[in-house]
Amino acid sequence: MATDPISSRLRVVRGDITTLAVGAIVNAANESLLGGGGVDGAIHRAAGPGLKQECQTLGGCPTGQARITQGYNLPARHVIHAVGPRYRGGSSGEEALLRSCYVEAMTLAEHHGIETIAFPCIATGLFGYPKDEACAIAVDAVRLFLRGHDLPREVIFCCFDQEDYDRYREELSGGGIAL
Ligand code: AR6
């Protein structure tokens, strides 16, 4: 594994993002911000009703953007809700929108003084983004951002299953697919 200054700020973990006691976990939300299935459902269940109440005040969020809330009953202090693109074949601006989710979430984290942020594999579940491409985009977007910013100090890629965990480990070690 490379040990350049950016790599030392990246981690991959396997597990349930709702268990992470970090400054912010990122939710793979939809434009309503009112909850859903997948990681969104898990985060809302673990956070309790306060999260939905705060989300209801936000007026939704366009695809490719992000909004921040408190973490309520979660061990994480904040939730950053990012809306990934639905994958429609790849020629509808999906890559730019997915990249934007990561950049917008990191920007919010920086503005709130958050030291550690954890991402799920945004858009790769219900929204159908091809997993190898999504992983390469996520890692590239995060690396580029960290190069110019001291915060967040650390980024965790939280993979729910072993395949994603292996994919991210490979990508961080310099393997993975070319964008
Ligand atoms: N911790 C970490 N990762 C998880 C967890 C968890 N507890 N649960 C699932 N994942 P998805 P999307 C992974 O479908 O594709 C919702 O209904 C999962 O294995 O949650 O962005 C929203 O409301 C996958 O790798 O999000 C939207 O309508 C990743 O999280 C829509 O789904 C993302 O899968 C968003 O779809």
Side-chain angles (χ1 to χ4, degrees):
M1 180 91 59
T3 52
D4 64 89
I6 301 303
S7 294
S8 68
R9 294 164 67 189
L10 303 176
R11 279 175 58 203
V12 186
V13 302
R14 183 179 171 201
D16 178 353
I17 202 166
T18 66
T19 66
L20 300 182
V22 292
I25 60 170
V26 176
N27 182 17
N30 59 57
E31 289 192 340
S32 78
L33 297 184
L34 299 180
V39 69
D40 195 2
I43 288 173
H44 274 272
R45 273 193 302 278
L51 180 63
K52 188 165 180 187
Q53 283 163 20
E54 185 175 353
C55 285
Q56 281 167 340
T57 70
L58 298 177
C61 176
T63 299
Q65 295 188 26
R67 300 287 184 268
I68 190 166
T69 65
Q70 300 301 310
Y72 299 93
N73 298 338
L74 290 164
R77 191 161 327 144
H78 294 92
V79 180
I80 296 177
H81 307 263
V83 182
R86 287 170 203 275
Y87 193 77
R88 296 194 170 92
S91 48
S92 307
E94 292 95 331
E95 177 173 345
L97 290 166
L98 184 60
R99 201 172 267 285
S100 171
C101 285
Y102 285 89
V103 173
E104 294 271 320
M106 304 268 289
T107 302
L108 276 174
E110 181 187 30
H111 289 165
H112 285 78
I114 289 164
E115 300 227 332
T116 303
I117 182 172
F119 285 98
C121 306
I122 298 172
T124 65
L126 200 78
F127 280 0
Y129 211 111
K131 287 167 178 279
D132 284 342
E133 279 173 57
C135 170
I137 292 162
V139 171
D140 190 58
V142 164
R143 277 188 180 283
L144 280 174
F145 186 92
L146 290 182
R147 234 179 256 168
H149 303 261
D150 292 334
L151 279 178
R153 197 175 46 73
E154 182 182 43
V155 176
I156 298 172
F157 296 104
C158 179
C159 299
F160 203 47
D161 59 46
Q162 186 68 38
E163 274 177 39
D164 271 323
Y165 178 79
D166 293 341
R167 181 178 284 114
Y168 272 79
R169 298 269 301 178
E170 171 77 6
E171 187 66 39
L172 289 188
S173 67
I177 65 163
L179 286 175

